[in-house]
Amino acid sequence: MPPQPVLERHLIFKPRPPPGLANLPTGSGPQGPQQQELQKTRQMLNTPLNYVQVVGLLENKELTPRKEQPVVPNMNGDHDLIMTGDEDESEQNRKAFQWYLEFNDIPEPGKVSATSRAASKTRILEGDVIKFMNDLGYEYLSQYVTTGDKFYDQDTTLFLYKVMQASDQSTQNTTPTTATINTTPDISKLTPLDPSEGYVLQASIEIADGNSPDLKDKATQQLLAIKDTLRSSVDLTPGDRLALDTRVPVRRVR
Amino acid sequence: MCDGTLPWKQTHGVKLLETLFENQKDGKIRVARTIPRDIAAMPATTLILIPAPSGNPSSLANHPTPSPTSTLITHISRTYSPKPMGLYTLEHRLLIETSSLLPGHAAPRRYTHFLTLPSQYPGKTFVGTSSAATLGSVALPNELANGSATKPVDPSGELTLITIPSQPDTLFPLLMQRMSPLWVPRQAHRVEGGASFLIGDWQIRIGELRISGGQGQGRVRGCLCEIKALLGDDDDEDGDTQENNGLARAFFDDLLQGSGVDVSGIMAVKPVERGRDGLIRQYMDLLRFARS
């Protein structure tokens, strides 16, 4: 399978502190069923929340230069690709961006040969996802773009990419709208996060059941085999756990 | 022949169309009136829930009474020989704001709904979350009885809807397991093996609504009916949904006549917005209140 050019727009959302956290009743009255319920609610409210991402994926078709319409390197910023509520899923009418709600947990602790973390990905078919996130209890924080190529080898996905950001911080922090997030970003106007313009190579395998040690072992072995294959050109190492921590610190209320 | 259940409103000089039903049981001819499509926007859909007879669940188990759903389906099939239109199934899962469980929570409660209507919109799940807490459009029984039930709802400000694939079911577990400070599951309802019929210009869906999760699991909540006028199209703007709802109610009252179904405590949700999303909002509105 040839490499697939990929562009992903990542919108980072931060959970708002639950409103009830500030209004927790203090003091301990008689221990009744009501108290137990309250204790349960208190516990739920104090569970840490994570940053989540809404990711827009723009795949090969839109990024591969077409013969009839060669894409000029400095692509016009007005080249709008608006998400519609159209149910027509035919090739021509497909939305340019495919949106996903992505959750990634902090990687599992311990000395490991490959990072493993719980992850969830939900495809958004229709709707205003930014408003939805806001109503769900998450506020927009910032965004970045990853651009690169994906290579596939059996179960493994190799993603070679650069992280790009808007050079203008204010643009990046302004809450986007459905229209702006569906506009193809002009890569030439973005600044790489790494000034040396280095690439990240990420090798990953999605496993269906994270509780299955067999599946996890198998996936780890496959990743180690890839590491071995690439040894002469690049050294793949597990990611730094704390750098990959998505949890939002909460003020504990007792 | 008109039995008087039809609220007759001669507005704008509109001439109503009449559809005749011959009741094969009593030989009477019944009339349903609809507004011609070029005058009124249709179809609008009305949802109705006939609550199951309440009582001690254990005593009900010992002396089972026939459910209103099977009674109604049998009655309609016998009386009107309707055209079968396939199955009717539904799944609804409701989450509430965790903070609203605290004592003294003053603000109106916010909800997140997961609704799947496999027989109508296969493969899709509609997720609606309260954008700002507003009152629903569920009419109280006494309001319905005198036909004054019109509680206007701001359809734009109520729920923010997105659509996700039904499978794999990833978002609901995420909310349950990873967003528990924000949302907590409340209840789930299901319609399995419901039926859909065509009677004149009306499509009616009937199914037994059961609690499938949360308190009272397995219990029958009632009979859920969706009544849709088949004339007109969704694009018309200047509809008189109130009139339409009145017609749907009159039609439904006609269907119920002689069925012996106890209609006390009946709940209805009028159309508030046209098209698919309007229907989805109606369902979410009704099923939020289905728990008494």
Side-chain angles (χ1 to χ4, degrees):
Chain A
M1 194 175 179
Q4 307 287 308
V6 170
L7 187 147
E8 289 175 352
R9 191 194 282 276
H10 293 251
L11 310 174
I12 307 170
F13 285 84
K14 184 187 180 177
R16 285 192 212 97
L21 214 52
N23 308 326
L24 276 177
T26 46
S28 51
Q31 290 292 315
Q34 274 188 344
Q35 278 296 320
Q36 281 177 16
E37 278 297 309
L38 184 63
Q39 198 53 39
K40 223 173 105 186
T41 311
R42 192 191 300 256
Q43 230 165 45
M44 278 193 289
L45 287 169
N46 274 310
T47 310
L49 280 160
N50 302 62
Y51 291 94
V52 294
Q53 290 201 352
V54 171
V55 180
L57 182 65
L58 203 60
E59 263 182 323
N60 58 72
K61 186 167 65 73
E62 288 83 359
L63 292 169
T64 314
R66 269 160 263 173
K67 273 181 194 154
E68 308 89 322
Q69 245 187 315
V71 174
V72 190
N74 189 0
M75 222 160 85
N76 187 351
D78 295 329
H79 187 66
D80 281 4
L81 295 159
I82 306 294
M83 179 156 71
T84 61
D86 200 334
E87 286 190 44
D88 193 346
E89 292 271 345
S90 72
E91 278 300 304
Q92 280 110 7
N93 289 346
R94 239 186 35 198
K95 303 156 195 154
F97 273 99
Q98 177 54 64
W99 290 96
Y100 294 89
L101 174 57
E102 289 193 10
F103 170 90
N104 289 300
D105 203 0
I106 181 173
E108 288 167 12
K111 201 169 157 49
V112 286
S113 40
T115 306
S116 69
R117 48 158 64 180
S120 152
K121 192 170 171 181
T122 304
R123 190 173 161 177
I124 313 290
L125 298 174
E126 299 154 56
D128 184 344
V129 67
I130 292 174
K131 184 163 189 325
F132 178 81
M133 289 306 292
N134 180 57
D135 295 338
L136 200 64
Y138 289 80
E139 63 188 34
Y140 170 81
L141 206 62
S142 69
Q143 60 170 303
Y144 62 90
V145 167
T146 56
T147 168
D149 293 270
K150 279 186 178 170
F151 302 75
Y152 301 95
D153 176 45
Q154 296 177 55
D155 302 332
T156 313
T157 306
L158 281 169
F159 188 19
L160 183 65
Y161 66 91
K162 272 194 293 195
V163 177
M164 311 289 283
Q165 282 181 313
S167 30
D168 180 4
Q169 278 293 319
S170 64
T171 319
Q172 191 176 310
N173 298 335
T174 313
T175 306
T177 63
T178 313
T180 59
I181 61 168
N182 280 291
T183 312
T184 312
D186 182 354
I187 299 294
S188 66
K189 286 192 185 146
L190 299 176
T191 327
L193 183 69
D194 175 4
S196 69
E197 302 231 17
Y199 278 81
V200 178
L201 179 64
Q202 176 188 302
S204 61
I205 297 179
E206 283 180 20
I207 53 176
D209 181 6
N211 294 322
S212 155
D214 287 355
L215 280 176
K216 250 162 107 172
D217 280 352
K218 195 182 158 217
T220 307
Q221 290 313 314
Q222 278 181 284
L223 288 177
L224 290 176
I226 290 278
K227 176 187 164 102
D228 203 43
T229 311
L230 299 173
R231 186 188 300 275
S232 57
S233 47
V234 62
D235 186 22
L236 287 170
T237 53
D240 175 25
R241 180 169 182 257
L242 290 181
L244 296 170
D245 190 358
T246 54
R247 293 171 306 176
V248 177
V250 270
R251 190 173 56 94
R252 290 195 75 84
V253 180
R254 298 205 162 267
Chain B
M1 173 180 294
C2 180
D3 61 13
T5 54
L6 229 168
W8 179 267
K9 249 174 64 183
Q10 195 76 17
T11 46
H12 323 299
V14 170
K15 188 180 184 302
L16 298 175
L17 297 179
E18 292 182 345
T19 310
L20 303 180
F21 301 110
E22 190 174 349
N23 187 328
Q24 294 170 347
K25 213 173 182 179
D26 58 13
K28 283 181 185 168
I29 290 177
R30 296 211 160 76
V31 181
R33 298 197 178 102
T34 52
I35 308 166
R37 57 175 296 168
D38 55 324
I39 298 168
M42 282 198 269
T45 308
T46 298
L47 295 181
I48 289 175
L49 178 71
I50 308 170
S54 53
N56 187 344
S58 58
S59 73
L60 277 177
N62 293 335
H63 309 283
T65 42
S67 82
T69 313
S70 55
T71 311
L72 190 56
I73 290 180
T74 312
H75 170 73
I76 291 173
S77 307
R78 278 199 197 137
T79 317
Y80 297 93
S81 39
K83 186 179 170 199
M85 296 290 283
L87 275 177
Y88 171 47
T89 51
L90 169 149
E91 191 187 4
H92 179 255
R93 291 169 287 179
L94 183 69
L95 297 110
I96 57 168
E97 202 179 14
T98 309
S99 299
S100 71
L101 292 175
L102 291 174
H105 176 81
R109 181 171 270 175
R110 298 177 66 242
Y111 301 86
T112 295
H113 303 253
F114 282 72
L115 176 70
T116 312
L117 290 166
S119 43
Q120 285 139 286
Y121 306 106
K124 286 184 176 175
T125 293
F126 301 91
V127 187
T129 186
S130 309
S131 41
T134 39
L135 285 173
S137 62
V138 168
L140 299 170
N142 58 342
E143 284 182 297
L144 268 163
N146 59 27
S148 69
T150 45
K151 215 185 283 176
V153 186
D154 175 16
S156 59
E158 212 184 19
L159 286 169
T160 305
L161 283 185
I162 61 163
T163 315
I164 59 170
S166 303
Q167 292 296 331
D169 184 21
T170 46
L171 192 55
F172 186 76
L174 183 67
L175 261 71
M176 286 236 318
Q177 292 155 17
R178 304 294 186 159
M179 299 182 183
S180 65
L182 301 173
W183 300 102
V184 55
R186 183 62 160 189
Q187 62 183 353
H189 281 107
R190 215 176 259 179
V191 170
E192 281 168 352
S196 173
F197 303 108
L198 196 64
I199 305 171
D201 289 330
W202 301 90
Q203 177 161 13
I204 176 162
R205 295 186 167 92
I206 305 176
E208 190 160 72
L209 187 71
R210 271 178 192 275
I211 299 173
S212 58
Q215 228 172 27
Q217 193 165 343
R219 201 153 61 83
V220 176
R221 278 294 315 173
C223 171
L224 186 61
C225 306
E226 182 195 306
I227 302 157
K228 181 180 178 185
L230 290 179
L231 291 176
D233 57 72
D234 286 346
D235 298 332
D236 291 337
E237 290 296 329
D238 53 346
D240 187 345
T241 54
Q242 205 184 320
E243 184 101 24
N244 202 319
N245 180 65
L247 293 168
R249 280 287 308 183
F251 168 72
F252 191 66
D253 287 345
D254 254 14
L255 284 186
L256 286 173
Q257 230 172 46
S259 66
V261 172
D262 177 16
V263 293
S264 56
I266 195 167
M267 290 200 279
V269 179
K270 304 156 172 310
V272 286
E273 184 192 318
R274 312 226 144 252
R276 183 197 69 182
D277 288 1
L279 178 67
I280 299 303
R281 287 172 206 277
Q282 268 172 278
Y283 267 111
M284 290 178 174
D285 226 13
L286 181 71
L287 293 166
R288 176 164 60 111
F289 279 88
R291 173 182 164 133
S292 42

